[in-house]
DNA sequence: ACTATATCCCGAAACGTTTTGGAAAGTCAA
DNA sequence: TTGACTTTCCAAAACGTTTCGGGATATAGT
């Protein structure tokens, strides 16, 4: 049995392919009786339109692209879990599909982008984890493909994005530790090529300055956004002649590593060394002790981004929007108690 | 500037569309010089083939479909995180894209399947979380679309799947608690419509029987695979006239809920009530106390499934394969210490 | 000089859909 | 009876690619 197509229905009913198409498409220039006959036959054959053909004709794909940064062999960061879920949910309610790509190891990231974007695979893209002079943004800007971004970049902001206010966030967290009586607050910072590292560090230094605390370069160490990196940095920091009494990190995963190292060295997280993370992934609440961190509405942000993207894909030509998220500080036991 | 197509290259180089296509396609019936000229022009124009057109012609999509069960508004279970990552990685290395769909709330699951499968959107599908007489499997079997499954179903196993040996796994865990001296071991079981619930319960009962322990229907409560459900069931169990001394659950998320309830009631997890989970998601290691659980190689399984699927999509007509995973017991502090 | 054989190229059809620009037949108003 | 509308239908083109079946031209073999 041949796959049902417009042609097979056309043959079966005696109407032309055009009429079948228009009947199925709900146009009003087809007789009710005819339409019924065609719909019946379509149902009988189990017809469903061939997406590729339709999209080739319409030059649209009803698909949104998302490329996962190839940080590790397995993207173990729950951040992405939530983010993808948000995007997926937003896409689904808007009637779009989500095309998920992970960078292949043997090809460059830009190739992956080109492959997807190259006329036809997706109607729009979602970007995450912006970098300095992000080549992906330059490329997408150049191709005119609609896209939205979680994060900013340093160049002109002529694109739509949502970003956490990293300056305010890190300042908030640093202040919190200062108010808890800490003087030596270390920062296991995100890798410097990531755009948000800059903002976070700015916030860190601003809080120190505001409270007339000296900036100690020994206490600022950049690492990767992994638990392992957190462990390594903690070792370095705790081996200092004057170790810090509080350690903040680029994300919760790093914070977990820091906590583990502290505990392995026989110290207590909170009472001996306070720890602060970033993201508020689910585990942050469950780990012991609970992790003080900055809450990011990751899921909701994913949804919002898709909403914005869908507007753009539907031809809304309003100027790009820039949305800055206000940080929310979540205080848990890893802060320890207020000091003298 | 028009989008680069075969035609624009053809115009620019003076060769026919056919020749351009064949040059780009690497056929050997085109002069080296010609090929070079065409390749140069293609690069200059930034040509990339239009996927839809190519696929319409080839009747393939180079895309694998995966539909997320719409359990909750946000699929908070890290299980899916890992699984998707595994599938994505497998797909990428095989040169396939991953189309991720979440069920829309206002349409039935089967419609989502039909939409994807309907001639053209995907070349194959990955299924997860099988149910009794799973209609998705019946449907896919009927459409002849290649697919692989994480999990089994009760009917004839005429499809390729990988599954954890749930009987052995739950027996292993139950045995572990029995050996630790527990007599009243409760089971907060997965929802009964899920296929693996059967196997797990079988394993649970088998272990009891093997050690001549009575089966107490009060100690077997089915729930949802969420933390919240774990909390509720724990409350029920702890309010029993004869509460259990150990509680096993359908997945780690439920176990977290159980642990929290135990702690809220002023009891100690492990020493007072032992807890066992299932899946070994990352948090299971970080939570306090660490959670005894059954390790599932989720990521690797995703990859393996894709490998199998790709073989099938490439026309390998060998009979379906059934792979059963051996469980691995991970003992952590939530087991408490051996009892008298 | 004639045939056989490579080598290089191309026109046309096909994949399944949507859309454009009518055509044919019927209805209505004058 | 004629023109103007309506209603219902359709042929053909188009989207960008691959592939089938040759057609030229040059080279080699006799």
């Amino acid at each position: 049995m041949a796959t049902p197509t417009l042609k097979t229905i056309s043959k079966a009913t005696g109407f032309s392919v055009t009429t079948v198409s228009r009947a199925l498409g709900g146009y009003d220039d087809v007789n009710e009786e005819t339409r019924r006959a065609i719909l019946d036959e379509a149902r009988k054959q189990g017809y469903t339109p061939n997406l590729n053909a339709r999209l080739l004709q319409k030059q649209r794909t009803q698909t949104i692209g998302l490329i996962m940064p190839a940080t590790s062999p397995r993207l173990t960061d729950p951040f992405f879990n939530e983010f993808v879920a948000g995007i997926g949910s937003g896409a689904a309610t808007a009637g779009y599909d989500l095309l998920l790509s992970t960078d292949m190891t043997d090809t460059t990231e830009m190739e992956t982008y080109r492959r997807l974007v190259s006329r036809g695979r997706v109607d729009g893209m979602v970007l995450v984890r912006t970098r300095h002079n992000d080549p992906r943004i330059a490329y997408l800007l150049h191709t005119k493909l609609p896209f939205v971004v979680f994060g900013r970049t340093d160049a002109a902001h002529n694109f739509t994005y949502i970003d956490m206010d990293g300056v305010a966030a890190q300042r908030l967290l640093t202040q919190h530790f200062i108010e808890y009586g800490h003087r030596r607050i270390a920062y296991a910072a995100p890798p410097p090529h990531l755009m948000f590292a800059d903002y976070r560090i700015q916030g860190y230094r601003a809080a120190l300055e505001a409270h007339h605390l000296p900036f100690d370069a020994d206490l600022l160490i950049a690492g990767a956004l992994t638990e392992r990196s957190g462990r390594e940095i903690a070792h370095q920091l705790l081996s200092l002649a004057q170790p810090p009494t509080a350690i903040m990190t680029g994300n919760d995963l790093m914070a977990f590593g820091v906590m583990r190292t502290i505990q392995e060295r026989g110290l207590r997280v909170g009472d001996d060394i306070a720890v602060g993370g970033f993201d508020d992934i689910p585990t942050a609440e469950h780990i012991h002790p609970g992790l003080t961190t900055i809450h990011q509405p990751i899921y909701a942000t994913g949804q919002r981004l898709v909403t914005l993207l869908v507007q753009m894909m539907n031809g809304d030509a309003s100027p790009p929007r820039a949305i800055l998220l206000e940080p929310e500080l979540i205080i848990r036991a890893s802060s320890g108690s207020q000091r003298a």
Side-chain angles (χ1 to χ4, degrees), chain A residues 8-19:
Chain A
T8 62
I9 300 180
S10 158
K11 281 243 173 63
T13 58
F15 294 99
S16 77
V17 168
T18 306
T19 302

Side-chain angles (χ1 to χ4, degrees), chain A residues 61-101:
Chain A
T61 65
Q62 289 291 313
T63 306
I64 293 173
L66 173 62
I67 300 184
M68 286 299 199
T71 38
S72 70
R74 48 192 280 187
L75 59 163
T76 172
D77 194 337
F79 176 95
F80 289 109
N81 189 16
E82 279 207 52
F83 192 62
V84 171
I87 305 272
S89 138
T93 59
Y96 281 78
D97 281 316
L98 212 210
L99 196 55
L100 197 68
S101 263

Side-chain angles (χ1 to χ4, degrees), chain A residues 33-340:
Chain A
E33 206 171 325
T34 313
R35 179 195 307 283
R36 229 187 336 267
I38 290 177
L39 286 185
D40 280 356
E41 181 62 28
R43 193 147 341 124
K44 201 178 103 198
Q45 294 196 14
Y47 169 81
T48 46
N50 178 314
L51 255 292
N52 282 317
R54 191 207 292 261
L55 300 177
L56 171 59
Q57 156 69 29
K58 291 215 168 184
Q59 298 294 75
R60 302 192 84 201
T61 65
Q62 289 291 313
T63 306
I64 293 173
L66 173 62
I67 300 184
M68 286 299 199
T71 38
S72 70
R74 48 192 280 187
L75 59 163
T76 172
D77 194 337
F79 176 95
F80 289 109
N81 189 16
E82 279 207 52
F83 192 62
V84 171
I87 305 272
S89 138
T93 59
Y96 281 78
D97 281 316
L98 212 210
L99 196 55
L100 197 68
S101 263
T102 27
D103 296 341
M104 292 172 58
T105 40
D106 58 341
T107 159
T108 80
E109 182 185 35
M110 284 310 297
E111 277 178 61
T112 312
Y113 273 85
R114 257 187 277 274
R115 190 166 53 78
L116 278 202
V117 171
S118 55
R119 239 39 235 146
R121 200 86 238 231
V122 300
D123 289 343
M125 297 248 3
V126 178
L127 258 65
V128 61
R129 287 238 166 121
T130 46
R131 306 193 288 268
H132 285 116
N133 294 314
D134 204 310
R136 305 171 298 168
I137 292 183
Y139 174 65
L140 288 174
L141 238 23
H142 162 257
T143 62
K144 308 273 190 202
L145 189 85
F147 69 97
V148 292
V149 186
F150 192 175
R152 288 166 276 177
T153 190
D154 21 25
H157 295 318
N158 47 351
F159 56 88
T160 291
Y161 68 82
I162 301 183
D163 198 6
M164 164 60 61
D165 183 345
V167 179
Q170 204 63 45
R171 186 169 46 207
L172 196 61
L173 189 57
T174 311
Q175 236 164 31
H176 162 69
F177 284 124
I178 295 175
E179 281 162 8
Y180 265 44
H182 293 272
R183 313 271 103 186
R184 289 185 63 71
I185 304 171
Y187 187 26
H193 69 270
L194 291 183
M195 200 54 213
F196 64 67
D198 287 21
Y199 297 112
R200 307 261 180 99
I201 292 175
Q202 261 180 53
Y204 168 57
R205 300 192 62 154
L208 292 183
E209 270 178 41
H211 291 78
H212 309 293
L213 289 179
F215 168 74
D216 183 345
D218 285 346
L219 296 184
L220 176 60
I221 305 180
L225 292 169
T226 62
E227 184 184 342
R228 181 207 189 91
S229 171
R231 287 216 287 263
E232 291 167 0
I233 295 180
H235 272 299
Q236 278 186 61
L237 288 171
L238 296 180
S239 305
L240 247 36
Q242 286 190 35
T245 62
I247 303 178
M248 303 183 304
T249 59
N251 70 350
D252 289 346
L253 245 32
M254 289 179 88
F256 297 160
V258 169
M259 287 171 65
R260 176 178 286 214
T261 295
I262 291 173
Q263 288 163 342
E264 281 171 4
R265 290 195 165 210
L267 299 171
R268 282 161 312 165
V269 171
D271 292 338
D272 293 327
I273 313 252
V275 177
F278 208 110
D279 285 352
D280 194 27
I281 61 178
T283 312
E285 187 189 348
H286 294 299
I287 202 170
H288 184 80
L291 177 64
T292 290
T293 190
I294 300 287
H295 180 76
Q296 291 216 72
I298 308 171
Y299 182 84
T301 301
Q303 284 187 313
R304 269 177 94 180
L305 280 172
V306 172
T307 309
L308 293 171
L309 181 58
V310 168
Q311 281 173 19
M312 296 171 61
M313 292 187 302
N314 287 339
D316 176 358
S318 51
R321 302 193 47 192
I323 299 175
L324 223 48
L325 262 24
E326 249 182 67
E328 182 189 352
L329 177 63
I330 309 284
I331 301 177
R332 298 206 181 90
S334 76
S335 287
S337 41
Q338 195 114 14
R339 311 208 155 190

